[in-house]
Amino acid sequence: MQVVFKIVRQDETRAPQIQSFALDVEPGNTILDCLNQIKWEQDGTLAYRKNCRNTICGSCAVRINGRSALACKENVGSEVARFAASAAIPEITLAPLGNMPVIKDLVVDMKDFWGNLKAIDPYVSTASRQVPEREFLQSPDDRAKLNQTGNCIMCGACYSDCNAREVNPRFVGPHALAKAYRLVADNRDGETEARLENYNYSTDGVWGCTRCYNCNSVCPMEVAPMDQIGKIKQEILVRKDGHESRSIRHRKTLIDLVKQGGWIDERQFGLRVVGNSFRDLAGLVSLAPLGLRMIGRGKFPGKFEPSQGQKQVRSLIDSIQAFEATSS
């Protein structure tokens, strides 16, 4: 079958431009196979990363038709079926990973990616090991808690598609926080409390996640970074008072109000989260313009009506919280 590959090409000195390459390929050929064919037969200047060709090293991650993926894992047949099944000559677009500056063509500078990983201190602390010549053994159950996050191959796909990273350059990224949970869950580590304080910091840490689900959807190893971030948040919430920070108040108030009324009483939500239940005067003042506009337009709720099934909602939340407490 014939396929046209449209590759976004650029370097540090010129703007991106699209160059097309027509190939005769088999549906089972991987995208990396096709990149190799283009480089070896049509344009030797094409730049991209590769290494193992077996979905192990993570080197060949690129954006394929708008989503980040491993070029050695995705094949032509599935891409054509997904995006260009009805086209006379199907096209596949390849672009460099997002949220990282481009060095050349499909090769990006991953300096910040690795720097953010380093920022979460991704090493097991052995300070609690009193006998250095002896192994620190784990039970099979304790080791099993680390399996999912241990599968991360640092390909950068989640970082590339992260909306939070795109709008907040200080956000460390889903890759780093997924690794962070591995350390929180590791019973050999002696720095759990200090780590949670670090990961709790402003929107640079776990509270910067917007829960867009992009990282989970593109991860080739099913690490589910957003789920791991959620687990860190839960560990923080268990340890923190409800007035600790706006991020923590937001989460705890949301749950409390839904338990009370089945849905959110927006009048209380703003006062408790932004105004910290009348403890934060600056926050209260910041709510005034919005409140006045809502009143002026007749959109300020005069009373709150609980939703139908309020008791069932509360029961479900209580059951989930009890289950999580038992599991932990």
Side-chain angles (χ1 to χ4, degrees), residues 241-279:
D241 179 79
H243 302 292
E244 180 77 20
S245 68
R246 184 174 294 187
S247 297
I248 291 173
R249 292 197 301 271
H250 185 283
R251 176 61 65 89
K252 291 198 171 188
T253 299
L254 179 70
I255 295 172
D256 288 345
L257 291 179
V258 171
K259 284 179 68 174
Q260 290 174 21
W263 50 36
I264 299 172
D265 183 347
E266 294 179 350
R267 302 169 305 169
Q268 291 193 53
F269 191 76
L271 293 175
R272 291 170 62 174
V273 175
V274 181
N276 194 13
S277 300
F278 298 98
R279 292 175 175 84

Side-chain angles (χ1 to χ4, degrees), residues 75-91:
N75 62 56
V76 173
S78 61
E79 288 301 313
V80 170
R82 186 180 294 116
F83 293 102
S86 60
I89 300 179
E91 297 178 346

